[in-house]
Amino acid sequence: MKRIPVILDGDPGHDDAIAWMVAAASHILDIKAVTTVAGNKDIENVTRNTLNVCSLFNIEAPIGKGAHGPLVVEGITAGDFHGETGLDGVDLPPSDMTLSEYSAVELMVKVLEDSHEPVVIIGTGAQTNLATLLLYRQDLKDKIRAFYIMGGGIENGNWTPAAEFNILVDPEAARIVFESGIPVIMSGLDVTEKALVYPEDVNRIREIGTPMGHIVSSWLDFFGETHAAMGYKGWPLHDPCAVLSLIKPDMFEIREAYLQVETKGLHARGGILADFEDKENFNGKVVLNIDREAFIEELIKAVEHFTGREA
Ligand code: RIB
Ligand code: CA
């Protein structure tokens, strides 16, 4: 089967790490590069986490350090939502990978220039690197097949009532991406807040009994504690939806839409507006629903894919 060339861009973060595990376990993705962006934590932390995660999942692709902050405004982070390191819950084996000599955007440019076919960019953090790529090399737009992103929400936000975190970190960047003319497939809170993991799901992963089962269940235990403290019964595993909407679209309800990013507004900055009627302006798709049981099975299959690997 012909594999899809992809670039993974994110801010690990527990859910980014699990999204990248799913991508690494997939037989249909060819990971060409992994790039980092500040968000869950500062750029140093997310980049160190990326080196550790790529080593853990044997993602043999160059890793480019990216934007330390948004295009225009002062950066925000998610504080200790993902713990002090940004990936708390378990100590990982030391990484055997090193950073590319190229920065995130330089690496993206190199991958697009070298690719014989358009590349999918899977973004699970702020879209600063994606926007910078578009600003810096408009000529490479036809080498980007689509942006599969975790971000936004047409019904609600999670950092403000209107805005989801990834979009709110850099609304100007998101607007550049959404207005680029390249299809955006948006896994926003509308679907990710239904991609819920419950304690019994975590126990199934732990009971796989491998080092990887221990690591992923420990991550989910930590991620769960944070959410349980906020009153969640199940915890939304956002970022894997961006990967799975590409490799397993039948697991989802996905609708074409005209998506706009609000960059102004005292209260609504970072919000996403979706128009399902204005067909002439359709610029992407919104992922709206998920088969949660199938989602959990995909997570378990991905963990089992690494069985036998000394983590
Ligand atoms: O709002 C959830 C998103 O923000 C996820 O991508 C999480 O990792 C953080 O980046
Ligand atoms: Ca993320």
Side-chain angles (χ1 to χ4, degrees):
M1 173 190 286
K2 188 160 175 41
R3 298 200 301 165
I4 304 168
V6 299
I7 294 170
L8 304 177
D9 182 86
D11 59 343
H14 295 81
D15 52 338
D16 302 76
I18 294 172
W20 292 357
M21 172 188 71
V22 173
S26 167
H27 301 297
I28 66 170
L29 298 185
D30 178 7
I31 301 171
K32 293 295 188 184
V34 182
T35 53
T36 67
V37 60
N40 279 320
K41 277 298 200 191
D42 62 70
I43 192 63
E44 300 307 330
N45 270 299
V46 301
T47 302
R48 185 205 56 243
N49 292 341
T50 296
L51 288 164
N52 289 340
V53 167
C54 288
S55 174
L56 181 67
F57 298 128
N58 208 25
I59 297 176
E60 292 180 333
I63 298 168
K65 183 175 177 183
H68 67 282
L71 295 179
V72 177
V73 294
E74 190 66 31
I76 59 173
T77 71
D80 283 347
F81 196 80
H82 293 266
E84 200 178 323
T85 66
L87 201 52
D88 281 19
V90 66
D91 291 333
L92 296 181
S95 174
D96 57 11
M97 305 193 79
T98 55
L99 270 183
S100 164
E101 62 184 297
Y102 296 102
S103 69
V105 175
E106 289 168 333
L107 196 52
M108 288 175 166
V109 165
K110 192 170 177 331
V111 167
L112 296 181
E113 284 179 335
D114 294 349
S115 179
H116 299 300
E117 61 184 302
V119 175
V120 170
I121 297 181
I122 302 177
T124 56
Q127 297 175 23
T128 315
N129 295 333
L130 281 47
T132 305
L133 169 67
L134 291 167
L135 293 171
Y136 175 49
R137 291 294 299 268
Q138 281 275 332
D139 62 304
L140 289 175
K141 278 175 68 172
D142 62 351
K143 294 297 284 293
I144 304 172
R145 178 176 135 186
F147 292 109
Y148 278 73
I149 61 120
M150 189 280 137
I154 58 179
E155 292 298 325
N156 56 275
N158 62 359
W159 220 254
T160 72
E164 176 277 329
F165 180 76
N166 285 341
I167 304 295
L168 186 64
V169 171
D170 200 342
E172 282 74 21
R175 180 176 171 191
I176 289 167
V177 170
F178 279 62
E179 294 183 357
S180 66
I182 298 164
V184 174
I185 293 78
M186 183 183 100
S187 289
L189 299 174
D190 315 286
V191 65
T192 69
E193 288 182 338
K194 298 168 188 160
L196 295 173
V197 176
Y198 292 96
E200 55 269 28
D201 303 317
V202 181
N203 289 335
R204 286 184 61 195
I205 291 172
R206 194 183 341 272
E207 285 154 14
I208 293 173
T210 59
M212 204 61 80
H214 168 65
I215 288 171
V216 174
S217 58
S218 300
W219 280 344
L220 289 169
D221 285 340
F222 180 88
F223 197 60
E225 282 161 24
T226 309
H227 282 83
M230 295 160 64
Y232 283 79
K233 295 283 176 283
W235 24 105
L237 208 53
H238 306 282
D239 293 336
C241 293
V243 174
L244 286 164
S245 60
L246 171 61
I247 60 178
K248 294 278 183 183
D250 295 348
M251 277 175 51
F252 300 91
E253 177 197 348
I254 303 175
R255 283 186 66 186
E256 283 195 279
Y258 173 30
L259 298 169
Q260 293 176 283
V261 183
E262 178 56 71
T263 56
K264 307 279 182 278
L266 197 54
H267 306 295
R269 175 171 162 82
I272 298 285
L273 296 168
D275 184 332
F276 294 106
E277 306 306 324
D278 188 355
K279 290 181 172 46
E280 280 182 18
N281 284 306
F282 277 1
N283 59 345
K285 298 179 179 178
V286 191
V287 186
L288 293 167
N289 211 337
I290 188 170
D291 176 340
R292 193 199 75 84
E293 284 67 36
F295 175 71
I296 298 300
E297 293 310 317
E298 288 302 320
L299 297 182
I300 289 171
K301 266 170 44 184
V303 175
E304 289 173 339
H305 171 83
F306 296 97
T307 302
R309 217 187 100 69
E310 274 314 297

